[in-house]
Amino acid sequence: MTRPADDSPHVLVVEDNPGDVRLIREAFAESHLDSSLAVATDGEAALDYLHGRDAERPDLVTLDLNVPRVDGNEVLEAVKTTPDLASIPVVVLSSSSSREDIEETRELAANSYFVKPVDPAAFISLVRRFVETFAAVGRLPLGEYETPVE
């Protein structure tokens, strides 16, 4: 399903690293996708945002696993087990390439898992690729889920 061109996606970025937030913003800007980003710097703030009555429901959540107060897996589980939120696509952006982390997020129903590249240009390119794919076809690339998890 192709998203209408005038349908500006709203994205919740759950990330405590200001540098990564800046790179994610750059990736969205480079994608030329008219979108709005809200940032939660910890898991508790993310859950407050998602359950807030006045907050705009995101079309997409990018989620770092290692955030303070409530970790990313707990946020993911809360999103995917809450009927009003379960349909929101969640992309995990993590520095961990651990098979255990990848498998746990798959079991918690994340839509995609990507290991954050260390190189800023590669990080921006990765985020831009999944954002553009999501905008064009309404689905996310699988990332690490494309590799069989043993």
Side-chain angles (χ1 to χ4, degrees), residues 2 5 17-18 27 36 47 50 52 56-57 63 65 71 73 79 85 97 100 102 111 124 131 136-138 143 147:
T2 303
N17 181 323
S36 64
L47 292 174
L50 289 163
E56 183 177 353
R57 183 180 189 274
L63 177 65
L65 294 180
D71 76 28
N73 282 326
V79 169
L85 303 175
S97 60
E100 294 81 21
I102 294 167
N111 298 81
I124 290 169
V131 165
V137 298
T147 304

Side-chain angles (χ1 to χ4, degrees), residues 10 38 47-58:
H10 178 62
L47 292 174
D48 288 347
Y49 183 90
L50 289 163
H51 293 293
R53 295 185 195 277
D54 297 329
E56 183 177 353
R57 183 180 189 274

Side-chain angles (χ1 to χ4, degrees), residues 26-116:
E26 284 185 40
F28 273 85
E30 286 184 14
S31 74
H32 303 291
L33 181 64
D34 183 23
S35 59
S36 64
L37 274 67
V39 177
T41 58
D42 64 63
E44 188 173 302
L47 292 174
D48 288 347
Y49 183 90
L50 289 163
H51 293 293
R53 295 185 195 277
D54 297 329
E56 183 177 353
R57 183 180 189 274
D59 298 298
L60 175 67
V61 173
T62 67
L63 177 65
D64 182 20
L65 294 180
N66 190 21
V67 290
R69 300 177 83 184
V70 175
D71 76 28
N73 282 326
E74 291 176 82
V75 173
L76 176 59
E77 183 174 21
V79 169
K80 293 302 183 175
T81 59
T82 302
D84 291 346
L85 303 175
S87 65
I88 299 172
V90 178
V91 177
V92 174
L93 283 171
S94 177
S95 57
S96 173
S97 60
S98 158
R99 287 203 173 289
E100 294 81 21
D101 287 341
I102 294 167
E103 183 59 29
E104 184 172 4
T105 62
R106 183 188 304 209
E107 289 172 6
L108 293 171
N111 298 81
S112 301
Y113 188 109
F114 292 96
V115 176
K116 294 177 186 176

Side-chain angles (χ1 to χ4, degrees), residues 6-20:
D6 63 343
D7 187 15
S8 301
H10 178 62
V11 180
L12 174 60
V13 176
V14 184
E15 174 61 66
D16 64 324
N17 181 323
D20 288 351

